[in-house]
Amino acid sequence: MLEQAEQLLQDYFGYSSFKKGQKEIIESILTGNNTLGIMPTGGGKSICFQIPALCLSGVTLVISPLISLMKDQIDSLNALEVEATFINSSLSNLEIKERMAKTCEGQYDLLYIAPERLQSKEFISQLQASDISLIAVDESHCISSWGHDFRPSYRLIPKLITSLSNQPVVTAFTATATKEVRKDISELLRIEEESIYVTGFDRPNLKFNLISGDNKKDFIAEYVEVNQDDAGIIYAATRKEVDQLTSFLKQKGFSVGKYHAGLGGQERREVQEKFIFDELKIIVATNAFGMGIDKSNVRYVIHHNLPQTLEDYYQEAGRAGRDGEPGECILLFHPADIRLPKFFIEKSNLTPQFKKRRYQQLHKMIDYCYTTKCLRGFILNYFDNQQLINDCDNCSNCNEEQELIDITTEAQKILSCVYKTEQRFGVTTVACVLKGSKRQKILKLGFDQLSTYGLLKENTIKEIKDLINFLIAEGYISLTNSKYPVTKLTAKAKPVLAGREEVYYKVRKKIKRITSQNSLFSILREFRMKLAKKEDLPPYAIFHDSTLKQMTEQKPITKEAMLEIKGVGPIKFQRYGKFFLEKIKEFAVQETARQETATTTDTPSHLVSYNLLKTGKSLSEIANLRELALTTVQSHMVRSLQEGFDLNLDLFVSHKNRDLIKNKIKEIGAERLKPLKEALPEEISYFQIKLILSAKEEYLEL
Ligand code: ADP
């Protein structure tokens, strides 16, 4: 069975080996054990049930929380020519009837449904009449009331299972299960402890950045500018903030859309589609966006506000880099941000017990913002991972990339202004006093008489506010929890005012691009986009970015070489891969032409082939690329050697054959080639004889 699974992995999905945990999970399912897989986002959960679905005789019922996710997965499966479909509220009754009839007839390998469907008695009886061999419960933490996304309909799954006459195997997956959630899932779905596979939560390709005290809008504008070719999600806490940020970025000319629960269903669907189809690069959204977004090439996720829990944060941030390519997760933090999630919890309808738990979770989230230790280590430790990381070298705490500027004088001016305004005013008023503003409010309060009035008049109000916010983030000033937060000095401020301590402002280093620019990658990405439109598929259902990236690096120009690329199996090659092969060939020819003109305008043809050999291409690849006969390329090699160019003979003639040829030359001479060829073993070619004849004696000895 496992051999069959490995074959399917190669033939359908184009991968030569399993990812961590996949093999064990698939083996456990195929042995007939109810199985739980706890794998990080991007860990490859889908394949864990899709391959068994292809091995088993009946249909695999996949229970998945969101319609968009289903459609994406079905698109990807259909691109692989797998018989799969979904049933949800977006279909008409007639369509549902037809699909269910086909299910009962056993025409599908996979049927995706939303859990709410299980409320229908008719639907349950149709499932009872079908041959279900496997039930896969995706996002299975939704079954637990401890989870952050509890969905009551998930509780109908155990009932469905017991109602089926031939007990199917049950498998469940999640990325974010804490101990309590794990216990709930395994009890409710009857999964034994030894059939729980935890592959860890680590996402090594993600870089975690915590930016505190920075001006958030400035940061975002700079960031999306630098990374404008890449897709990203920006999460904000409220609809209003989403609206504001979207207009701000639109005005700056970025390709941006917004998503929140206040928009109409149609509008939301359109934005989501555009994002998935790479037509919109950035999406600004509340946390209503994303669950079930299967887009694999999201390169960054920025949180403009503080999430309520680390579970939420890791799940949302984890939408970056699902294809395993580098991704960045940035949390923009300001101490004043703590108020909003507190307010949400306070206003919620949660029981006191759950409220308390929410507060505990929020405190962990806040601790994350203040820790000076490894951010990845902090997250992994929270999720109860055994494998402790203290120095990941891929988070902002491990590789602190900041330059320090002494701002002690400015800090003293600000702190003393907070003191002089009697610790009764907000950031804006303090900034106005320091600027020396003539605003009515300032004058009325008599603040123009203060000794701190106009002390920072050279700076703009925005710069002063940024500095005050920095001092808040660093804990020199605190803000009250009131409706209009008021600035107060903390104990940390005293030694600064007394001149005993200095304050340093951390200047952020320039933002770097996440992905490097590459012209072949852009060509392939554009071509994929066209193909996707024609096929009405999301681009990544054709090939993931990681697959395109590997194509760019290896530039395969033969079918065999193309099949070596991860993500290109025989089926995908036939459907799409062969067209990409042509594109790469075209590019390589143009590149050669460019190189030719770059060196001299008329590099001799044999040297063009010689140069290509030096880049690691084989003779047949060169022939293929230049559309020349193999014998012509061989003659190019002989000529290059005759002209004294260095050639590694080991590539073409074994030492044994070299000796044979040399001895024969000594024996019968080399006036004519034909007798020499006939006197040698058949497998020795004219090309090899010519090479030996052309090589200088001392060269041959090497
Ligand atoms: P999850 O649902 O766990 O977030 P997916 O099932 O979407 O993850 O898989 C994440 C990515 O990993 C996809 O791009 C998928 O094609 C890829 N993948 C899955 N299995 C393998 C494998 N064995 N080798 C290489 N890539 C894989």
Side-chain angles (χ1 to χ4, degrees), residues 15 17-19 22 40-47 294 322 544:
Y15 300 131
S17 57
F18 283 113
K19 277 190 169 185
Q22 284 180 329
T41 313
K45 289 187 280 289
S46 330
I47 276 180
D294 205 14
R322 289 180 66 147
H544 288 292

Side-chain angles (χ1 to χ4, degrees), residues 186-201:
S186 52
E187 276 175 12
L188 290 163
L189 297 177
R190 301 211 191 126
I191 298 168
E192 304 287 335
E193 189 58 36
E194 55 273 19
S195 304
I196 301 179
Y197 295 87
V198 186
T199 64
F201 298 93

Side-chain angles (χ1 to χ4, degrees), residues 512-528:
K512 290 193 201 121
R513 283 177 65 96
I514 314 168
T515 50
S516 54
Q517 262 164 328
N518 180 304
S519 49
L520 178 57
F521 185 77
S522 311
I523 292 170
L524 297 182
R525 183 158 63 177
E526 215 166 281
F527 176 65
R528 178 182 65 177

